[in-house]
Amino acid sequence: MTTTTTRPAETAPQGDDAPERAVTGKLRGSLGVASIVFIVVAAASPLGVIGGPVPLGIAFGNGAGFPTIFLVVTAVLVLFAVGFTAATPYVRSAGAFYAYVDKGIGRGAGLGTAFSALLSYLVLEAGVFGLFGPGVDNLLQSYGLPAVPWWAYAAVGFVVVSALAYFNIELSGRVLAVLLIGEVLIVLALDAAVVFSGGGPEGFSTGFLDPAQIVSGAPGFAVLFALLSFIGFEATAVFRDEAKDPDKTIPRATYIALISIGVFYAISSWALISANGQSTIVENATANFGTILSDTTEQYLGAVGGHIIQVLFVTSLFACILSFHNISTRYFYSLARKGVIAKPLGIAHARHGSPSRASLVTATIVGLLVVAAVALNLKPIDEFYTWLGGIASVGFVLLLVITTASVIGIFRKEPHGVSLWRRLIAPTLALIGLLGFFAIILWNLPALVYEDSYGPFSIGILVLLALAFLAGPIVGRFRKGAELD
């Protein structure tokens, strides 16, 4: 990454390395593998997935065969990670996707990827507030508190997230670690209870082994919800500047995050199916989508377990929001450091070593999106979250496709002594799988935003992403001095 000359930092430098940060604006951090894994897995919101996309994938996808879809998606994403991590030592920037695209395809495409990624992460962070606000309200109503507008609790969460993200990344990492451990433990406790009780009314589900079950219903819809469950895993590379040893830390964190998420989802969705009965799970998930996880937890872990899962579901959404805020902030910071956007956003806080100015910009945009949702009287879940989630899901898979093609391009220019498997075979297999997933996403996009066929919202999502990508070459033409890597 190129070094830029900046104006004085926000406050008087403190600490041994503060003078250097004041001049260069560099981030301070010593994130190890575990810290990055916590941040990235928290973005995936494991408990939120088990309580949200999993029941949806079961109900509207392929029922008892859904756990297998997680394994298939994980396998394709592992193939993606093979090429992605192989290229990491040769992409020195913390720009994640766009730095790879810049190096493999070109500067215009790299900038287009950066803007597409920013759009996807920002709208998803804002959209999750549409889940968080009602979630807190429902939780507190269960304890006897009166109902309040969803945006009131969203506003409180917004303030806390903005404050945490303003300070050093290690503080956010510690908060995310605590929240993530809690949500994973309660789901694992439920999994264990189901296993040790011998399963549900029909014993253990075997649908994930039955080809007829795997392809039953709408497996394409199941793939869509499975992919939504992985958004954020690829962001390991965003934290390159704050990693202890990025050439080792980033690949290890990527593999650990990806595989652990995939295995966790597959096992937990299988346990949920087993607990409710394979023959009736589709009916139960369809009728009780919003409560099937808490109801099942209460059945196997008692009333206390049911209350714990309600609390941790809300904290899971908070952790998800905080993670996406950190990711978006580092995109802004990295682009500013390279001269693509206003350079002051690329100055780190002199005391905290955090991208504080970039964080404030992220907060402002997300806050405006939430305010717009309230002003337009949008339903927080059915409209605000769903529409923005549609943008993020299409953007996520599109970014994976472009990045995979870029990795192949990087090694076509120079093999760097990397094995044929890592530089070509695995990325090519991943590209084939991801293109198939992208076709499935496009086919099912109207249903995701509650349209019978392609209408204003479905088309609007594609137009927004296209405009974000096309902005790359345009900005690149006017910011010729900017270098992405």
Side-chain angles (χ1 to χ4, degrees):
M1 176 162 47
T2 57
T3 301
T4 58
T5 302
T6 62
R7 65 191 184 195
E10 298 171 357
T11 60
Q14 298 182 22
D16 294 338
D17 61 344
E20 190 268 347
R21 289 199 313 277
V23 175
T24 66
K26 291 181 178 178
L27 297 181
R28 181 184 66 197
S30 57
L31 297 177
V33 173
S35 296
I36 295 177
V37 168
F38 276 129
I39 294 171
V40 172
V41 175
S45 184
L47 181 55
V49 166
I50 304 302
V54 165
L56 282 173
I58 293 171
F60 304 110
N62 61 338
F66 190 53
T68 304
I69 301 298
F70 273 127
L71 297 178
V72 172
V73 171
T74 301
V76 172
L77 295 182
V78 166
L79 289 172
F80 164 83
V82 170
F84 184 69
T85 57
T88 296
Y90 312 105
V91 180
R92 312 306 301 181
S93 170
F97 280 155
Y98 77 76
Y100 289 75
V101 176
D102 168 60
K103 200 167 187 69
I105 296 179
R107 186 164 173 269
L111 285 171
T113 301
F115 296 140
S116 299
L118 257 177
L119 173 63
S120 299
Y121 288 125
L122 287 168
V123 299
L124 189 57
E125 179 189 344
V128 177
F129 277 111
L131 293 178
F132 178 79
V136 176
D137 187 39
N138 291 335
L139 173 64
L140 296 182
Q141 282 190 60
S142 70
Y143 288 100
L145 273 72
V148 300
W150 69 272
W151 51 262
Y153 293 122
V156 174
F158 173 81
V159 171
V160 177
V161 165
S162 300
L164 286 172
Y166 186 85
F167 298 107
N168 191 277
I169 183 63
E170 291 166 12
L171 174 60
S172 291
R174 287 192 291 271
V175 172
L176 290 173
V178 173
L179 298 180
L180 179 62
I181 290 172
E183 63 181 277
V184 169
L185 285 179
I186 190 64
V187 176
L188 289 179
L190 173 60
D191 294 347
V194 172
V195 170
F196 288 116
S197 65
E202 302 171 13
F204 295 122
S205 170
T206 58
F208 72 101
L209 298 173
D210 184 355
Q213 286 278 356
I214 295 170
V215 300
S216 67
F221 215 64
V223 168
L224 186 151
F225 284 109
L227 281 167
L228 278 173
S229 305
F230 283 90
I231 291 181
F233 89 88
E234 78 295 339
T236 50
V238 174
F239 299 97
R240 181 183 183 91
D241 287 348
E242 295 152 285
K244 292 179 181 178
D245 184 355
D247 289 346
K248 294 181 179 179
T249 301
I250 300 304
R252 290 174 183 172
T254 302
Y255 281 118
I256 291 172
L258 178 57
I259 295 173
S260 61
I261 289 172
V263 172
F264 179 84
Y265 289 160
I267 292 176
S268 299
S269 59
W270 167 80
L272 188 66
I273 293 167
S274 297
N276 286 272
Q278 180 172 308
S279 66
T280 59
I281 184 59
V282 172
E283 180 182 350
N284 289 344
T286 303
N288 306 295
F289 154 71
T291 61
I292 189 170
L293 177 60
S294 58
D295 291 345
T296 304
T297 303
E298 187 166 345
Q299 178 184 349
Y300 282 85
L301 298 179
V304 173
H307 286 298
I308 291 174
I309 207 90
Q310 282 184 294
V311 173
L312 291 177
F313 179 74
V314 170
T315 62
S316 174
L317 295 175
F318 175 85
C320 178
I321 293 169
L322 179 57
S323 292
F324 283 124
H325 187 100
N326 281 324
I327 293 169
S328 299
T329 293
R330 277 145 189 82
Y331 265 89
F332 277 122
Y333 173 85
S334 183
L335 288 170
R337 292 279 292 167
K338 299 172 194 310
V340 176
I341 59 177
K343 288 186 177 181
L345 298 183
I347 300 175
H349 195 286
R351 179 176 181 182
H352 304 300
S354 62
S356 53
R357 297 182 181 188
S359 179
L360 291 175
V361 171
T362 299
T364 299
I365 294 173
V366 171
L368 288 174
L369 288 172
V370 175
V371 169
V374 176
L376 295 171
N377 200 29
L378 298 181
K379 297 177 182 178
I381 299 176
D382 293 350
E383 294 175 337
F384 186 48
Y385 169 73
T386 300
W387 294 346
L388 298 190
I391 297 174
S393 62
V394 176
F396 172 64
V397 182
L398 179 61
L399 293 171
L400 289 175
V401 168
I402 297 173
T403 304
T404 306
S406 301
V407 167
I408 296 173
I410 289 172
F411 289 118
R412 282 192 64 185
K413 295 177 181 178
E414 173 57 56
H416 295 289
V418 176
S419 69
L420 185 65
W421 164 252
R422 298 185 70 200
R423 75 172 188 266
L424 181 61
I425 297 175
T428 300
L429 293 174
L431 184 59
I432 294 170
L434 290 168
L435 286 171
F437 291 162
F438 189 58
I440 290 171
I441 288 280
L442 293 180
W443 182 265
N444 290 279
L445 182 59
L448 184 65
V449 294
Y450 296 100
E451 290 182 329
D452 294 331
S453 59
Y454 268 89
F457 299 115
S458 304
I459 296 173
I461 286 172
L462 299 181
V463 170
L464 277 175
L465 286 167
L467 290 175
F469 190 85
L470 290 174
I474 296 173
V475 172
R477 185 172 183 176
F478 290 97
R479 307 284 285 186
K480 294 181 179 180
E483 295 294 335
L484 297 190
D485 191 29

